[in-house]
Amino acid sequence: MTHVNAPVKITASGIVSALGQGKRANLDALLGDATPGPDRLSLSHFEEPVNVPYHGVVGAPEAAEGRLHWLLDQAMQELLAEHSLTPDQRADIPVFIGSSCWGIGIAEERYREQYRNNPETAIPLPLDGFGQISRHLQRQYGFHGADFALNTACTATANAILNAAAAINMGMHDHALVVGLEARNDTTLAGFHGMQLLAEEGMRPFDRRRDGLVLGEGCGAMLLSRSRSDASGTMFWGGASNCDTYSISASNPDGSTIAAVMDAAMARSGITPSDIRAIKAHGTATPLNDDGEAAGMRRSFEQIPPFFSMKAALGHTLGSCGVLETLLMAALLPEGKLPASIGFEEPDPELGVTPMREPLSVEAGYYLLNFFGFGGNNSSLILRYQD
Amino acid sequence: MLEIISVGDHYQTVDPDQGLANLKAAAAEVCRERFRRIDRFTQLALIGSGRCVQNTVQSTEGVELDSQTGLYIGSRFASGGNTIKVHEQMISAGIVPKPASFINTLSNSAGYFVARNLGLEGRNLFVSRGDASIVAALQLAAMDMATGTVSQALVGAVDEAVLPLSHHRFRLGLKPETVMGEGSHWLLVAPENSANSLATVTEMETLRDEAALAGWLDGLDASREYQVSLSPWTKQQMASTCLKSREMLTDFDPGLAAYPGYASGAMIRYLKTGAERPLIVIAADTDGRFHVVMLQPRPQSA
């Protein structure tokens, strides 16, 4: 097999999540003995009681615009402290952004305020939400290059990483910035509540008693850079994405399209299933997702590598989970340890797979990361780690 | 560079007295199955993409689209009409979004239905960049083609009008009384030098400000003549003095009303004129940048 594209290095990154501000706090929480469970959030604007579990970020401002900017600032400041980039570099490099919320919380807040003042003149959706993150990156940090506001549900930033690497591979840029951001908003929380997809007592990915997901918020930023393929550390090695038209809200439960995207990611990376040391599963703890992902792993791997899900700790951060979970995985590998699959206790004989019950010692090699989303969007990414 | 192999679209000017035209019949004409609970944004996407593929099949004497063709949808607001209804119900009546309405607020729902309708199984992306969303979609397609991720790409700009038009003009930053339209404009693109090309996309640039735009224009061959199409917001809000001072540039008016997908509609209408000069499409954004696409039509045999 041939590695299709040149690998790129994860030069710098920054994160804020429900686990804390900065990579160190997030890694300590993931590798610690106990990760905090979700809080409860009461949405007061609905005629029926809407009380949902939520992995919110502590210390974030309440107002929607301030919250969006604050989350973005936390991640960007950590990234730029690691690799500042010159003003000319910032002005030129492409920016790939993934999110599910964009500016929807700001739009809700402004419309609600207008409606309270005068329902007759209030304008719903009074702003272009997709531009909010890019605008702050331009004004606050000077990133004026081509921006891509990708929205493919929960694969948005996995796709952003794929295209950022492609932009570098085209030879036009040495760096690309990838940002994923999810901020609390009523539309998303009430929407998932209405779909009855939320777990009442925390997420249990791949557990027999799994009954849904818990949403979370956060922001992650990664700077990808052109690199030699023999460089040490964690590299983004390749990946693939596909579209499953079985159902708009779930992958084919037979695992065929999930297997296809994992197979394509490995093939494009020039590796085989036996090269994979461990899998970071999408693992949303919804019955349909975990069924499809387990079936896909059974199809693609003769011997399924150790696998785990991070979402019981972080919450499902939707469009931003691609960058949040990838940068955490990239940071975990040099720590020498991957965490046990949080939230898992009881195997499900129907799934035929069991996630990691104990932390796993890291070895040099390749690691697979899965991300799947509404709209049939599936993505698999490959990281390579070597000392 | 990309070659445009085929085009197809749907466009209409919105008559404020008549409201929005019903799209059911047009959607039914291009759909292999009857999709239920789809919104106007998805209907528009299905119609435009379906027509583009029908034109492709005709021009290639029956060759179907490869299932690994990449799908790239650009839009400023995606399913704005549905999202607005959800917000009106949430905020005025405290109603939790219904599952189908909530799913349709996801920007990539339309991409799911287009892929299902056309039998596509490969890369499927939604991207937004204001009135330059088609530029972003073409840039993504070019990246994926350059790295061999896709061999060809179906690239569309889909933007629906939402009533009342006064609100919609406010959202788009357009002057009161601006005539409004909506459209779904699609291009099937392939790598440089592919056969059956209607035109070559020779440039796709994001320029930081008007000085950068002027610098880019300075780099053009001044001995040639170019036609230029500016998005409605660009025309209304930007001075764009650097365009007026260059004699090699003449205005191309595609005869379209205002909507974010105007740039892509202008490209398709230009190709239909049979003109041979390059077309430069420019969309400014609200942050002072300019996004540019240049097309070089290929001479077509009679």
Side-chain angles (χ1 to χ4, degrees):
Chain A
M1 298 213 183
T2 309
H3 190 190
V4 174
N5 292 301
V8 295
K9 185 173 182 181
I10 302 168
T11 302
S13 60
I15 184 171
V16 59
S17 79
L19 296 179
Q21 292 176 33
K23 289 195 288 287
R24 189 68 261 160
N26 276 266
L27 296 180
D28 288 346
L30 283 171
L31 294 172
D33 292 333
T35 52
D39 294 326
R40 302 290 309 187
L41 207 55
S42 278
L43 308 185
S44 58
H45 302 294
F46 293 93
E47 61 177 1
E48 63 181 88
V50 180
N51 185 276
V52 296
Y54 194 59
H55 286 280
V57 172
V58 175
E62 286 301 311
E65 187 171 16
R67 194 176 191 93
L68 192 87
H69 291 169
W70 185 88
L71 290 167
L72 187 50
D73 289 339
Q74 304 310 304
M76 286 304 299
Q77 284 163 11
E78 185 181 15
L79 180 147
L80 292 170
E82 287 181 5
H83 192 102
S84 63
L85 295 166
T86 65
D88 283 348
Q89 286 175 319
R90 293 189 195 187
D92 182 54
I93 70 172
V95 178
F96 297 85
I97 309 166
S99 174
S100 298
C101 69
W102 299 99
I104 202 76
I106 306 170
E108 283 170 10
E109 209 169 77
R110 289 195 188 163
Y111 178 46
R112 183 169 284 121
E113 188 180 335
Q114 287 178 19
Y115 191 86
R116 199 182 296 126
N117 293 336
N118 186 349
E120 297 302 315
T121 58
I123 298 179
L125 203 63
L127 52 86
D128 184 348
F130 288 118
Q132 299 297 316
I133 298 172
S134 170
R135 179 162 303 126
H136 191 66
L137 288 169
Q138 289 180 63
R139 291 181 180 173
Q140 192 69 23
Y141 302 102
F143 287 95
H144 298 290
D147 58 307
F148 300 88
L150 290 156
N151 195 355
T152 56
C154 310
T155 57
T157 39
N159 283 319
I161 291 169
L162 287 168
N163 272 103
I168 292 170
N169 265 285
M170 280 179 83
M172 295 171 67
H173 299 279
D174 290 333
H175 304 283
L177 180 67
V178 183
V179 173
L181 198 159
E182 200 61 35
R184 191 182 71 199
N185 67 87
D186 280 5
T187 310
T188 305
L189 285 163
F192 274 87
H193 168 79
M195 292 186 75
Q196 301 182 322
L197 287 174
L198 300 178
E200 271 308 300
E201 294 179 9
M203 291 172 70
R204 302 173 186 274
F206 302 102
D207 189 287
R208 191 184 65 79
R209 297 162 299 159
R210 67 191 181 282
D211 63 349
L213 55 84
V214 176
L215 295 170
E217 66 180 341
C219 181
M222 285 168 60
L223 182 68
L224 299 182
S225 308
R226 183 184 309 285
S227 175
R228 291 160 52 102
S229 60
D230 59 356
S232 62
T234 311
M235 313 270 283
F236 171 68
W237 204 253
S241 76
N242 70 11
C243 181
D244 182 345
T245 55
Y246 171 82
S247 159
I248 195 164
S249 57
S251 297
N252 192 329
D254 73 4
S256 54
T257 43
I258 287 177
V261 77
M262 290 192 291
D263 293 348
M266 290 185 279
R268 288 182 63 80
S269 300
I271 61 175
T272 63
S274 62
D275 292 320
I276 298 294
R277 298 278 176 263
I279 299 172
K280 193 286 310 162
H282 188 54
T284 60
T286 54
L288 283 176
N289 174 85
D290 289 4
D291 288 2
E293 189 165 17
M297 287 193 279
R298 290 199 308 268
R299 280 175 180 258
S300 286
F301 294 92
E302 208 167 294
Q303 265 203 312
I304 296 175
F307 69 95
F308 69 106
S309 168
M310 296 185 192
K311 288 190 173 63
L314 289 165
H316 189 353
T317 57
L318 302 175
S320 70
C321 75
V323 72
L324 283 166
E325 296 181 11
T326 300
L327 80 84
L328 285 175
M329 184 77 169
L332 280 164
L333 294 171
E335 297 281 310
K337 197 160 76 166
L338 297 177
S341 195
I342 299 157
F344 175 79
E345 288 177 3
E346 195 176 325
D348 181 353
E350 301 277 314
L351 288 181
V353 299
T354 304
M356 288 153 48
R357 292 170 178 272
E358 300 292 335
L360 179 76
S361 292
V362 168
E363 296 174 16
Y366 300 92
Y367 293 82
L368 180 96
L369 297 88
N370 281 338
F371 303 96
F372 312 124
F374 279 170
N377 222 284
N378 302 323
S379 301
S380 290
L381 309 180
I382 306 282
L383 297 181
R384 190 197 69 174
Y385 173 69
Q386 67 180 23
D387 292 323
Chain B
M1 289 202 282
L2 300 170
E3 305 291 350
I4 298 174
I5 304 299
S6 180
V7 299
D9 66 357
H10 170 87
Y11 164 77
Q12 63 196 36
T13 304
V14 180
D15 181 339
D17 297 325
Q18 299 292 320
L20 301 175
N22 189 305
L23 299 173
K24 272 188 183 169
E29 276 180 23
V30 296
C31 288
R32 297 178 183 183
E33 60 184 297
R34 188 172 164 225
F35 297 118
R36 298 172 62 227
R37 294 196 289 269
I38 58 173
D39 61 13
R40 186 174 189 82
F41 180 68
T42 296
Q43 286 178 323
L44 282 167
L46 285 165
I47 296 165
S49 60
R51 289 179 181 170
C52 182
V53 171
Q54 282 176 350
N55 293 341
T56 308
V57 171
Q58 278 171 12
S59 65
T60 57
E61 297 176 348
V63 177
E64 296 280 334
L65 213 56
D66 185 305
S67 67
Q68 293 304 311
T69 299
L71 178 63
Y72 303 80
I73 300 182
S75 176
R76 181 160 177 175
F77 277 93
S79 55
N82 178 68
T83 305
I84 285 163
K85 271 187 209 150
V86 166
H87 274 197
E88 284 173 338
Q89 289 173 348
M90 264 176 49
I91 286 163
S92 66
I95 294 171
V96 168
K98 293 189 167 53
S101 301
F102 176 61
I103 283 188
N104 282 337
T105 66
L106 308 177
S107 314
N108 65 322
S109 290
Y112 167 84
F113 286 105
V114 171
R116 183 160 167 153
N117 189 46
L118 300 176
L120 302 181
E121 299 169 353
R123 202 137 164 75
N124 187 338
L125 298 182
F126 172 90
V127 67
S128 183
R129 192 194 288 160
D131 290 357
S133 295
I134 186 65
V135 186
L138 284 167
Q139 287 170 324
L140 289 174
M143 287 171 204
D144 285 345
M145 233 169 261
T147 53
T149 305
V150 301
S151 56
Q152 59 179 4
L154 192 56
V155 182
V158 184
D159 288 282
E160 64 172 317
V162 185
L163 300 175
L165 291 181
S166 58
H167 287 188
H168 203 50
R169 290 188 192 100
F170 174 84
R171 281 181 204 106
L172 299 176
L174 294 167
K175 291 177 180 171
E177 310 308 323
T178 301
V179 178
M180 302 297 295
E182 65 178 358
S184 171
H185 305 286
W186 290 75
L187 315 168
L188 180 67
V189 298
E192 189 179 1
N193 296 325
S194 296
N196 304 317
S197 174
L198 302 174
T200 306
V201 180
T202 58
E203 302 273 354
M204 292 170 279
E205 293 288 336
T206 291
L207 303 161
R208 178 178 177 170
D209 50 26
E210 192 157 344
L213 175 63
W216 182 82
L217 291 167
D218 286 342
L220 297 175
D221 180 351
S223 67
R224 297 189 69 185
E225 292 188 329
Y226 302 83
Q227 293 215 262
V228 178
S229 171
L230 300 181
S231 73
W233 190 86
T234 311
K235 272 187 202 162
Q236 288 188 4
Q237 307 290 344
M238 305 295 293
S240 305
T241 47
C242 66
L243 297 170
K244 292 168 188 154
S245 61
R246 286 174 167 78
E247 289 182 1
M248 64 195 191
L249 306 177
T250 54
D251 187 47
F252 169 64
D253 180 2
L256 300 169
Y259 60 108
Y262 181 96
S264 50
M267 288 184 220
I268 291 179
R269 265 136 198 81
Y270 189 72
L271 293 179
K272 288 181 177 170
T273 65
E276 294 183 2
R277 281 184 283 175
L279 173 71
I280 299 169
V281 174
I282 301 174
D285 67 25
T286 50
D287 299 304
R289 297 179 304 175
F290 292 83
H291 307 272
V292 178
V293 170
M294 185 155 72
L295 299 185
Q296 174 59 65
R298 290 283 184 103
Q300 301 298 306
S301 52

